[in-house]
Structures are given as C-alpha cells and as structure tokens.
Amino acid sequence: MYEQVSHSLLNAILDDLKPEISRQDLRHFYTRLGANFYAIYSLFFNLYGQRKDFKPQMQRLVETMAKGYINRPAELERVDIERELDHNWFLSQKWVGMALYTNGFAENLDDLADKTPYFQELGINMVHIMPILMCPAGKSDGGYAISDFRKIDDRLGDLNDLRRVAEEFRKRDILLVLDIVLNHTSDEHEWAKKAVMGERRYQDYYFMFDNREIPDMFEQSMPDIFPESAPGNFTWNADMQKWVMTVFHNYQWDLNYSNPEVFIEMIDIILFWANQGVDVLRLDAVAFLWKKIGSSCQNERNAHLILQLMKDCCQVSAPGVLFIAEAIVAPVEVIKYFGEDAIIAKECEIAYNATLMALLWDGIATKNAKLLYQGLKNLPDKLERATWLNYVRCHDDIGFGFDDNDVLAAGYEPYTHRKYLVDYFSGQFEGSPARGMVFMLNDATGDARICGSLASLAGLEAAAESGDPDLISAAVNKILLLHSVILSFGGIPLLYNGDALGVVNDYSYRDDDSKNSDNRWIHRPKINWERAELRKKQGTVEYSLFSALKKMIAIRKETSAFADFNNRELLDVDNEHLLCFTRFNYLRPSERVLVIANFDANPQYLDLDVISGRGINLYGQFVDLYSGRSPAQYDRRIVLQGYQFYWLTEI
Ligand code: GLC
C-alpha cells in the first residue's frame, strides 16, 4: 500500500542511507521494505511517535534492517525465496521437532553435530537447541539470563561450531531453532553493567526507580512468577541506589521496550542469529514485553505491537525465518500471539500449545477426557497460516492454567481440582504412580506447578522400581498415548530430550548449589548414550518406546490429513474416557483419520452410532494406521484397551 506520509519519510531515509549501505545491491531489500514500510512506520509511530528523536530512530531501524540484509549469506537468501514461494511450508505434517539442552544431549555443539544421525533415526527434523549464550555461572536460569547476546558459552563451543551444526542440519533437511530472550538480560550484561556505572543511556534500557513509590504501584497488580525463589518484581541495587524491575529472578533485568533503542538492539540481535542459519527463532516470554501500571504486565496490547513490528522487520531482511511465541498464558490470550488477522500470522507463525499440554496431563491424572474435551472445544480457532507447537513435556514446569469455566463445565470445582492435580503428580495422592515435584507453591494463592520428567510423571520410574511388568507396560502405554495425540492433533509436535528413551527424573541437581533452588532441573537430563543403545534391543523399555515413536513419526509424515489446515473436528462421543477427533485432508475431505485415545486404564468402547454422520461411515471397515490391523469391533462399537490409541481410516 502507498501512503504518502510514510513513503515520503522512506524516501528521505533512503536518501540519507550511509554510503556503505547504499552502495550495495539491495534489490530484494527495497522491494520488501517498500511493501512493509507502511506497517513498520505505523507500528513504530504508534509505539514511539511521541518522541522528539522519532525520525533518527526510524532511520536507525531501517539501517539495522539493511545491515541484516547485507550480511545475509547467499545460501540463506536462496532459502528465503524458496519459502516465499511456498509460504505454507511449515504447515506440512512432515515436521517433527525435539527440544534439548546441548550439554544434556551431547557434550557440546561439536558433538551435537556428530550426533545428528540420532535425529534422523527417530525422524526428527526440527531441533530446538535450548539457550547456548553466555550466562553468569550460578545465575543462569537455565540459559535464560544472558550476559552476551552474541557470544556462545565457551563450554558449548563457538560460532563456528554452531555454523557446523546449522550446515549439518541443512544438509539433512533439519530445521534449527534457537532462542531469543527478548524480555530481559542478566544483571551482568554489558548494558546492565554500564547502567550500574551510572550511564543514563543504559539505565533507560531497563526500568529503574529511586524509591518504592512506582514499584509499589506496579506490585499491586503484578503476579509473582517465582514466588518461592524470587518473590516480588523489583530488586534493590545498592550500587545504583535504585530499584530495578526483575519479573523473573532478581538477576534478570527486564528490558524497557518503551525505549526504541531497546527495540532496535533486539532487531539487530534477531537478524544476527537469523544470519547464522537459524530457521526458527523461539521468542522467549513474549507475554511480558510491555509493562503498564495497574495491569498484570502480561499480554498487553503493546506487547503485540512490538511482536508485529519484529515480524515485519524480519520479513524485510530475513523473510524465511519463522517465530515461535513462548506465551504460557490463558487460551484466549495465546491465540493472539499469532497476530489478529484474517489469515496470515502477523506476529508469530507458531505458538506453544500449553493448553493442550496441561489438558493432556489432566487426562492422565483423572483417567478421563472430560476437561480435555471441554478445553479443546473452547480452544479458539487459529489463523490459517499459523500453527501450534504441540508438546507433552519441555524444560519448564507444568502449570494447570485451564479456564475455570471449562473446569466447572467438566464438573469440577477449580481450586479443589487443581489441588488434586498437584497432589496426584507429586505422588501425594494415594495410589498415584507419578513422581513429580511441587514447583513454586504460592502460599498466598495456593497455586502450584509441577516438575518431573515425562517418564516419572507417567509412572515409569515407580513401575521400574517395582519391577512389575504390568505397571511398566501401563506407563509405556501412557507415554505413547500422549504422543499419539500431539503427533496427530494438527501442528508441529515437539518431543523433549530423553522422552523417546523413557529417561526418568535426574535427582543430581539437589547436590548442585547453583541448581537446587529450582527443581525444573529434575527434568533436564543428560542422556546416557550407553543406556540409549538399549533402544536397539528388543524387550527393553527403551526399545518399546523408541521403536513405537519412530513408527508413529514415520506414519504421521505419510498422512496428509495430519497437516495443519484447520482440518480437525472434535467429536463428542458419549464416553468420558475417550478423546476423539477426526482429521481430514483439506484438499480431499473424504480422506479422514479418526483419532481415538483412551485415557482410562481399563478397556473402553466407542459407539459408532454416536459419531455417525460426522464423516464416519457407520458400517465402514476401519484399519489402524499405526498397527496396520482392523480394530476390535463388535455391535457397532470399537473397543480400546486401557491407554490404547487408534489412528483409524476407513477401507
Ligand atoms: C521462559 C523459559 C523459562 C525461563 C523464563 C524466563 O519461560 O522457558 O525457562 O525461566 O522464560 O526467562
């Protein structure tokens, strides 16, 4: 769109470009900048238009984008163009992800590059390497307290090692995902250090106050994120004699996005990593980007404007790069991180589906799908060109942030039900096989979250200790059941390091002073590769899990109905233990897959009468894509064993 004010500003900016920029061949850059400029200008003006230095800041922003474009390697520009031509590429069912810490999966980045065959063996083709940048020892928040946004932690390697990983991945068609920690820096970041030295420019990068007056106002409506280990949202800095906003830990200083310099610095960092060959950037803690007195300081409208602006800028310089929103917030809020638009994601193309994750765990604890069904029924529709990241476990805790109305509609009282879940997963509920830990109990609100590895939460740790084969097989089946849903739901499934091998809790963090106040370390394991060899030995748990997941992944990739084109229909099946939905091929809707997951330990049946007319033929013959067999069926009922799932097609 041509708009006079913004485009005459653009002309002026281009006239004033530094000679080292204007001399370059900027053909694609100009086309994309022209196309996006009105949006970029409007957003930047909306956020920073009231400032006297608006125009020079706009100039700097354009120069930063131009520099990002100029530094983009030719090979990556080729990928950009390829993806521009096939803009739905990431909605395909072919993608399957895994998240891991470099030193949990391998020794370092170099070793990780050597271990890429493992991903191919399982079928993983998108790897989220958790934060690898410099963090102060003992104050790292698992890599999310960064002291240098451009330097890799020496213990993991250097930029050359990362480039090797990126090349190795690109050769094998594996996408590389890295984090951009947008919301805060470590208190040892150069900007923070300069602020402490009294440099006003850098003090303006953060939120700082001489006394408690404003902090106290903020506190009235801001929740505590880590109430046990880091209560409050401000930290006193004695050197500066100021209160600093620290929403997460007291060593993580929140960046102030009402300052355009912060925004431009972060765009520069985003483009720097995009140019190292990163395909997808996981934007950490995006809900927190804008702070406003009187609000919870989460999900603010301006946080969305910042993300839209980031997307628009990135599309100019590195359009092939996607964003993942890490916003672990209420379902109606999560959906907004795609950007409110008719079709195209205007903010992040991908978002963590924390709603599905928490609901799946509810299914495990209650052995029924009542809340799961209810929550999914009310999960707002996402945009067409956007997709979910569906996961069961990740490096963080599990919060039971369901919508209270859904909890009530499922027949539970919200407070008691959440308490039940916490008790169940921390093994405090009589008969529960789960071995999780309570995380961040908030005495004031009674809220608590859960930590623990997938295997331990599903009962495998306890079952293995008992040696009871039935208990072991129930735990294995639960793990597969959960994956059967994330692999078929629609979106990119994201497995977590160790889960395909049944790795249980790692209690060693308790002996490490830098970790023992944060029990999320219990589920950040180090793979024992000798033990992992058991995945090749029939009869072992490792084999059962690994071979089943490998098979499920291979089948997913072949099943076009599993691509994500808003082609899912949730079915109300009259049996509270079953989650049931159909997936259909959006080009040929008659090609359907009926997904049924039994959350009960006992056999259950699905009455075909109840779902007939929903694209399912009452008298049809089915075959299970997973086992290749017809399901047990009698009297127009399909029977499932405890914790069994089916991916059925009609024959
Ligand atoms: C994200 C990360 C989490 C971290 C937090 C603060 O939520 O996933 O591990 O503690 O951001 O950076």
Side-chain angles (χ1 to χ4, degrees):
M1 143 166 195
Y2 184 79
E3 194 272 342
Q4 214 183 355
V5 176
S6 61
H7 282 88
S8 45
L9 175 64
L10 176 59
N11 286 334
I13 289 176
L14 296 180
D15 284 345
D16 286 351
L17 278 185
K18 292 182 184 147
E20 67 268 26
I21 295 180
S22 58
R23 272 201 301 270
Q24 306 272 342
D25 171 10
L26 295 173
R27 250 174 326 138
H28 285 124
F29 175 74
Y30 285 144
T31 316
R32 293 178 191 139
L33 182 63
N36 274 14
F37 195 71
Y38 176 58
I40 292 176
Y41 165 83
S42 310
L43 289 163
F44 204 69
F45 188 82
N46 207 307
L47 290 160
Y48 309 116
Q50 78 294 358
R51 290 175 57 112
K52 279 205 206 66
D53 61 350
F54 172 73
K55 281 192 185 161
Q57 295 292 358
M58 190 78 236
Q59 177 92 28
R60 272 192 58 209
L61 178 63
V62 173
E63 282 174 1
T64 307
M65 285 189 271
K67 194 181 84 188
Y69 175 78
I70 292 165
N71 292 339
R72 193 144 177 82
E75 164 64 8
L76 297 180
E77 224 200 318
R78 196 188 53 70
V79 175
D80 287 337
I81 292 167
E82 221 174 80
R83 290 182 183 161
E84 276 178 329
L85 294 174
D86 176 20
H87 50 237
N88 282 339
W89 64 274
F90 62 98
L91 304 178
S92 159
Q93 74 280 6
K94 107 174 199 197
W95 302 111
V96 179
M98 179 181 281
L100 50 88
Y101 272 107
T102 305
N103 58 0
F105 178 78
E107 290 311 310
N108 49 34
L109 287 168
D110 193 44
D111 186 33
L112 191 151
D114 291 341
K115 289 199 160 61
T116 34
Y118 174 82
F119 300 126
Q120 286 183 302
E121 186 186 338
L122 184 56
I124 299 296
N125 51 14
M126 172 174 155
V127 178
H128 171 202
I129 302 183
M130 307 277 300
I132 48 175
L133 301 184
M134 290 294 289
C135 288
K139 295 197 304 181
S140 75
D141 187 26
Y144 289 95
I146 293 173
S147 55
D148 189 333
F149 282 116
R150 289 184 172 77
K151 189 160 183 311
I152 294 177
D153 182 336
D154 320 313
R155 289 167 300 183
L156 304 179
D158 59 20
L159 261 184
N160 284 331
D161 297 316
L162 182 73
R163 287 200 195 106
R164 202 186 134 223
V165 171
E167 272 161 35
E168 212 44 60
F169 280 13
R170 201 164 297 286
K171 261 195 275 172
R172 298 159 193 257
D173 207 12
I174 296 176
L175 302 176
L176 171 61
V177 186
L178 287 191
D179 286 84
I180 300 284
V181 181
L182 288 176
N183 181 65
H184 42 255
T185 72
S186 152
D187 60 357
E188 293 190 24
H189 189 281
E190 191 195 355
W191 302 335
K193 283 189 187 156
K194 288 185 173 164
V196 173
M197 302 290 283
E199 276 193 51
R200 187 58 206 271
R201 172 174 176 199
Y202 291 100
Q203 292 189 348
D204 288 346
Y205 274 37
Y206 302 97
F207 296 90
M208 309 208 158
F209 306 95
D210 294 336
N211 56 45
R212 286 292 310 184
E213 198 180 335
I214 298 195
D216 284 344
M217 284 191 222
F218 269 114
E219 287 289 15
Q220 285 177 27
S221 49
M222 285 175 91
D224 279 357
I225 305 302
F226 296 133
E228 278 180 10
S229 56
N233 288 286
F234 293 86
T235 301
W236 175 247
N237 184 284
D239 294 331
M240 278 189 300
Q241 291 286 301
K242 284 184 195 297
W243 290 96
V244 183
M245 186 186 278
T246 54
V247 169
F248 289 88
H249 292 98
N250 56 14
Y251 51 80
Q252 286 165 305
W253 289 14
D254 285 64
L255 285 166
N256 184 351
Y257 279 88
S258 69
N259 178 354
E261 294 202 24
V262 169
F263 180 85
I264 295 169
E265 295 269 20
M266 295 316 286
I267 283 292
D268 200 27
I269 290 163
I270 285 180
L271 296 178
F272 174 80
W273 288 106
N275 287 347
Q276 306 308 316
V278 180
D279 298 283
V280 186
L281 291 169
R282 173 193 185 271
L283 306 185
D284 180 61
V286 287
F288 296 83
L289 292 183
W290 194 264
K291 314 296 194 294
K292 194 168 92 188
I293 291 180
S295 77
S296 67
C297 296
Q298 292 181 39
N299 308 313
E300 280 297 311
R301 177 169 180 268
N302 280 1
H304 289 284
L305 299 190
I306 287 168
L307 291 170
Q308 284 172 25
L309 189 54
M310 284 180 173
K311 180 80 276 185
D312 284 336
C313 293
C314 190
Q315 269 174 352
V316 172
S317 311
V321 172
L322 302 184
F323 289 171
I324 299 179
E326 192 253 347
I328 311 303
V329 293
V332 285
E333 295 295 341
V334 179
I335 205 91
K336 295 183 189 157
Y337 288 90
F338 293 126
E340 291 176 283
D341 187 71
I343 298 176
I344 302 172
K346 281 198 334 196
E347 294 181 21
C348 300
E349 291 85 353
I350 308 173
Y352 274 79
N353 195 348
T355 311
L356 174 65
M357 180 278 295
L359 290 167
L360 286 171
W361 285 110
D362 185 88
I364 292 295
T366 59
K367 297 195 172 61
N368 73 60
K370 281 195 288 182
L371 183 51
L372 182 52
Y373 171 78
Q374 195 61 36
L376 292 183
K377 198 171 82 174
N378 291 330
L379 185 68
D381 277 343
K382 59 165 189 58
L383 301 178
E384 265 176 42
R385 207 176 300 155
T387 198
W388 290 117
L389 199 61
N390 295 316
Y391 64 112
V392 180
R393 282 304 286 119
C394 71
H395 70 291
D396 278 332
D397 46 287
I398 303 173
F400 301 108
F402 330 108
D403 191 317
D404 278 357
N405 292 322
D406 290 336
V407 182
L408 289 165
Y412 306 119
E413 194 284 312
Y415 179 85
T416 329
H417 189 61
R418 287 200 177 87
K419 175 148 186 358
Y420 165 71
L421 295 176
V422 170
D423 287 350
Y424 179 90
F425 286 114
S426 56
Q428 296 172 56
F429 189 82
E430 174 92 44
S432 161
R435 291 262 176 98
M437 308 269 300
V438 179
F439 182 65
M440 295 295 152
L441 174 66
N442 186 332
D443 287 327
T445 61
D447 275 352
R449 284 118 75 185
I450 284 290
C451 289
S453 77
L454 168 56
S456 296
L457 294 175
L460 187 57
E461 187 183 331
E465 263 171 34
S466 75
D468 180 332
D470 291 340
L471 294 180
I472 294 176
S473 114
V476 166
N477 289 338
K478 275 190 247 181
I479 295 173
L480 298 180
L481 177 83
L482 293 167
H483 283 94
S484 79
V485 179
I486 62 162
L487 282 157
S488 64
F489 185 78
I492 303 173
L494 183 76
L495 278 68
Y496 184 59
N497 185 28
D499 287 350
L501 298 164
V503 174
V504 297
N505 286 344
D506 174 1
Y507 295 97
S508 66
Y509 79 103
R510 288 175 171 164
D511 307 323
D512 181 337
D513 283 342
S514 67
K515 295 180 176 166
N516 54 20
S517 61
D518 186 342
N519 49 27
R520 287 178 297 174
W521 288 103
I522 202 169
H523 55 249
R524 295 174 179 174
K526 180 143 185 96
I527 300 294
N528 173 339
W529 284 101
E530 253 164 59
R531 177 124 199 218
E533 281 298 300
L534 292 176
R535 71 187 185 278
K536 299 172 185 156
K537 190 164 171 232
Q538 280 201 29
T540 64
V541 165
E542 286 78 0
Y543 177 87
S544 309
L545 282 171
F546 193 89
S547 57
L549 285 169
K550 180 175 164 165
K551 185 169 166 193
M552 284 157 82
I553 290 170
I555 294 167
R556 166 189 159 89
K557 290 184 178 175
E558 293 300 312
T559 308
S560 48
F562 287 166
D564 191 18
F565 290 97
N566 284 348
N567 46 343
R568 177 184 53 251
E569 194 185 348
L570 188 64
L571 301 179
D572 185 356
V573 292
D574 210 17
N575 180 338
E576 65 180 36
H577 299 285
L578 304 181
L579 174 71
C580 191
F581 53 84
T582 56
R583 301 298 319 280
F584 52 91
N585 181 326
Y586 75 112
L587 293 174
R588 293 180 296 278
S590 60
E591 276 177 40
R592 282 183 181 259
V593 180
L594 175 62
V595 175
I596 321 172
N598 178 12
F599 281 80
D600 195 13
N602 298 311
Q604 292 290 339
Y605 62 83
L606 170 69
D607 199 329
L608 284 173
D609 280 320
V610 175
I611 57 164
S612 74
R614 313 283 295 268
I616 306 295
N617 181 355
L618 189 53
Y619 299 99
Q621 288 296 310
F622 297 95
V623 68
D624 177 22
L625 291 174
Y626 176 68
S627 63
R629 288 197 296 268
S630 289
Q633 206 173 333
Y634 89 103
D635 198 15
R636 297 208 298 269
R637 287 167 164 189
I638 290 178
V639 185
L640 293 99
Q641 296 296 337
Y643 302 125
Q644 192 184 356
F645 73 92
Y646 278 133
W647 289 346
L648 300 180
T649 51
E650 279 182 76
I651 41 172

